Amino acid sequence: MGKITGFLEFDRKVEAYNAVDDRIQNYKEFTLPMPKKELKNQGARCMDCGIPFCHSGCPLGNLIPDFNDAIYRGKWEKAATILHSTNNFPEFTGRLCPAPCEEACVLGINEDPVSIENIEKNIVEIAFEKGWISAQTPEIRTGKKVAVVGSGPAGLAAAQQLNRAGHSVTVFERDEKIGGLLRYGIPDFKMEKHIIDRRIDILTEEGIVFKTGIHVGVDITAKALNKTFDAVVLCGGATLRRTLPIKGAELKGVVQAMDFLKQNNKRVDGITDLGEEILAAKKNVIVIGGGDTGSDCIGTSIRQGALQVSNFEIMSKATEHRPEEQPWPFWPMRLRTSSSHQEGADRFFSITTKEFLGDADGNLKGLVTAEVTWEKIPGQRPQLKEVPGSEKEWKCELALLALGFTGSETNLADQFGLEIDPRTNIKASAKDYKTNIDGVFVAGDQRRGQSLIVWAISEGRQAAYHVDTYLMGVSALPLKGDGDLPRV
């Protein structure tokens, strides 16, 4: 694959960023594209490693060595075809995926891994630029109708695959525009929304029908869906946010991260009817939660003009290197510093929030924290211990809760009579994605719980295969890792 000695000749490189002072003035993407020659060199670093563990690291089973070899040889259209054979939306994953494939890269055992995600993004962007990505309209329609509920990555992947199988697909979305958290959760500086729109235009041209502003389970019942469609695929995501049940949680200024991010995305989109505005401008902001959502809140707060942004993480500070107990090729819990962290946030680890403090008018004015330690007990989960005498008061007018999601809403599950697990995810086996109700399938976060975009696309694709099999008795759609190399 690639150049036999490439990994010895070339160092890892990724796209550079615009300077912090420039990029925080707006919400545009700020990466600087790499020249094709440099991308060719990066593809050349891919080793002829015999067993490409990057395949096991990628939930989609992307044919990574194959497209790396193609760009090394200058065959960009071939690379785009290979990439799309397993991934419907590489322009999304190339921007947003945390790249578990890179953590599983064989070169990563003792060197910097191949910059797979960066290569993926550039392949698809060049393919769009050259006009190689076009609508694939099925030659024959089956006469079967499928409803997909939710237009996030799982729903969109399922819809495109089922449409390619010849079924008539309708996607229902309760928000004003298509995209789910891609549209109303991911800040524009990580992915501008025209990236979604250009792909939706292709899906529409392929024959998929999109209906927005329709909350299935409220505006249309489960009974109505069952009556109208031959199969239903639920891809509504994990939408129940984790709370922080401490004193003062009701104060004005204690805000769920997704409410903050969604409103700002609408603001950037030019929507003026936002309800009560949530703004970080001229405020001391504390983001509670150290994941990607917390990082997105940091970058957004800085762009809104916050006085100061701090980030609290209850976990201990991880090491920058792979921990010994998390050996290659498994995903390591190492310290990750995002572009938003680099823009000026102060990070604090091993800290828990005990109380929110308010003024006489019910506005947040501060909070109280304590330091914590994690006690390891053999055979048990680590136990959280508060450090005596470590309480501290912080000035804060906006606290953003980026604590993840606990499950999905149950209204629609109740209407269908679907079984749910203790976390309110809808029960369905990864073997066939079927629920306990005939003709109803579920995929993505609504089945597996909060997860990665790459898992959502993978589940949407695999669910589509099983829906097609249910409808037709057999399916020609690919499953994970099946590189049938359709047209881009």
Side-chain angles (χ1 to χ4, degrees), residues 286-290 310-314 346 348 351 353 367 369 394:
I286 294 179
V287 179
I288 304 175
S310 301
N311 187 200
F312 290 174
E313 171 59 69
I314 198 169
D346 296 317
F348 300 89
I351 188 171
T353 305
L367 52 80
T369 64
W394 304 71

Side-chain angles (χ1 to χ4, degrees), residues 236-401:
T239 55
L240 298 180
R241 296 90 175 265
R242 185 173 283 108
T243 61
L244 195 57
I246 60 175
K247 184 177 179 181
E250 77 289 346
L251 292 169
K252 183 179 179 181
V254 180
V255 177
Q256 282 285 346
M258 293 312 304
D259 293 338
F260 174 69
L261 294 173
K262 181 175 183 177
Q263 184 183 95
N264 196 69
N265 280 14
K266 288 186 173 185
R267 185 182 293 111
V268 173
D269 194 29
I271 298 173
T272 56
D273 184 14
L274 300 174
E276 187 174 354
E277 285 207 315
I278 310 167
L279 288 170
K282 299 181 181 180
K283 292 178 182 176
N284 294 286
V285 179
I286 294 179
V287 179
I288 304 175
D292 289 337
T293 301
S295 172
D296 294 343
C297 288
I298 290 168
T300 302
S301 297
I302 289 171
R303 282 161 178 76
Q304 288 186 359
L307 291 177
Q308 183 178 18
V309 182
S310 301
N311 187 200
F312 290 174
E313 171 59 69
I314 198 169
M315 301 302 294
S316 304
K317 186 176 182 179
T319 61
E320 294 187 6
H321 304 289
R322 180 184 288 275
E324 290 185 4
E325 68 273 16
Q326 297 166 16
W328 175 89
F330 296 105
W331 176 261
M333 299 302 291
R334 68 171 91 206
L335 180 66
R336 303 177 194 277
T337 301
S338 71
S339 59
S340 292
H341 291 136
Q342 296 169 351
E343 290 169 358
D346 296 317
R347 303 174 75 179
F348 300 89
F349 299 88
S350 300
I351 188 171
T352 185
T353 305
K354 298 187 65 177
E355 180 182 353
F356 294 112
L357 306 174
D359 61 19
D361 296 321
N363 298 306
L364 179 69
K365 69 174 185 178
L367 52 80
V368 177
T369 64
E371 296 176 17
V372 296
T373 59
W374 290 90
E375 182 179 333
K376 293 184 179 180
I377 303 174
Q380 300 181 31
R381 297 183 66 178
Q383 292 187 6
L384 184 68
K385 301 287 185 179
E386 185 176 318
V387 177
S390 64
E391 287 193 359
K392 180 179 177 180
E393 187 172 320
W394 304 71
K395 187 175 182 181
C396 175
E397 294 83 39
L398 178 62
L400 299 172
L401 307 184

